[in-house]
Amino acid sequence: MLSQRTWEAALGALQVEVPKADFAAWFRDARFVRAGGREIVVAVPTVFAKEIVTRR
C-alpha cells in the first residue's frame, strides 16, 4: 500500500521530471490522502488544480 513516504518519493521524482513552474503550480501543494487498490486520492488546493492534475 502507498504510504506518505512513497508519496514524498513520487513528488521528488515529479519535481525532477516536470518544469519547475509546472511543479510549483500543480504539485507543490498536493497532499496524499489515501490509497487502495488502483486508486490514489490526492488533495489539491483548488478545483482548477484538480482539473489539471486529473488530466495529466
Side-chain angles (χ1 to χ4, degrees):
M1 182 185 293
L2 188 71
S3 66
Q4 181 64 34
R5 185 177 275 165
T6 306
W7 173 246
E8 290 169 7
L11 278 179
L14 276 171
Q15 196 168 12
V16 172
E17 292 294 322
V18 301
K20 187 175 183 176
D22 288 349
F23 181 85
W26 312 122
F27 297 105
R28 181 183 59 211
D29 295 327
R31 300 286 176 251
F32 170 76
V33 176
R34 69 180 180 276
R38 300 186 68 167
E39 179 180 76
I40 297 171
V41 178
V42 176
V44 292
T46 67
V47 173
F48 184 65
K50 177 188 174 232
E51 291 173 9
I52 297 295
V53 170
T54 300
R55 276 191 256 145
R56 294 180 181 195

